[in-house]
């Protein structure tokens, strides 16, 4: 499993990606690193690319911990995350996370199969979609 992210400060956007088997402990450690990055600021939007993730070994407790990290970082400003999916398992995990995150009323999460509508929903339609492939 591999995680990567890149902060595009001029677009107030964080692009994250996951590939292979996504395990709970590694997923949580990845987000702990992300929220501690001084470039990642409250109010930034996230484009989470799960299209290369092939399997998930993640439980609800871990997803709640990740949602709590987002809540701590973004506070009352809230957060918007667009998740790029291309399989049923990606959709199931993303929707489970969505239900947890939105229950805390901090993060608005939506799933997309195409990049352009995801960027539009994030109000980042001017972001060059070609840069997403650079995050790996």
């Amino acid at each position: 499993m591999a995680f990567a992210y890149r902060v595009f400060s001029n677009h107030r956007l964080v692009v994250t990606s996951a590939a292979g088997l996504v395990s709970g402990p590694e997923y949580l450690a990845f987000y702990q690193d992300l929220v501690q990055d001084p470039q990642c600021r409250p109010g930034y939007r996230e484009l989470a690319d799960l299209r290369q993730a092939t399997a998930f070994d993640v439980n609800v407790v871990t997803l709640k911990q990740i949602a709590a990290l987002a809540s701590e970082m973004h506070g009352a400003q809230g957060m918007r995350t667009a998740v790029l999916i291309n399989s049923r398992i990606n959709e199931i995990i993303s929707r489970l996370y969505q239900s947890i995150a939105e229950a805390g009323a901090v993060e608005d999460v939506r799933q997309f199969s195409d990049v352009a509508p995801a960027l539009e929903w994030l109000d980042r339609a001017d972001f060059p979609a070609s840069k997403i492939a650079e995050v790996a």
Side-chain angles (χ1 to χ4, degrees), residues 91-104:
E91 181 180 10
I92 290 168
I93 290 295
S94 178
R95 289 194 185 279
L96 179 58
Y97 178 76
Q98 177 182 7
S99 68
I100 292 167
E102 290 181 352

Side-chain angles (χ1 to χ4, degrees), residues 50-71:
L50 297 183
R51 296 175 294 177
Q52 299 300 314
T54 55
F56 291 84
D57 184 10
V58 177
N59 61 35
V60 172
V61 172
T62 300
L63 294 176
K64 285 181 178 181
Q65 290 171 319
I66 292 169
L69 287 171
S71 176

Side-chain angles (χ1 to χ4, degrees), residues 9-71:
S9 298
N10 56 331
H11 292 279
R12 298 181 50 81
L13 179 69
V14 178
V15 177
T16 61
S17 68
L21 169 65
V22 176
S23 77
E26 291 171 315
Y27 205 15
L28 181 58
F30 170 73
Y31 268 92
Q32 288 170 330
D33 289 344
L34 177 67
V35 300
Q36 291 176 10
D37 186 328
Q39 290 184 342
C40 192
R41 301 215 169 120
Y44 278 27
R45 306 290 170 99
E46 180 182 355
L47 179 68
D49 189 351
L50 297 183
R51 296 175 294 177
Q52 299 300 314
T54 55
F56 291 84
D57 184 10
V58 177
N59 61 35
V60 172
V61 172
T62 300
L63 294 176
K64 285 181 178 181
Q65 290 171 319
I66 292 169
L69 287 171
S71 176

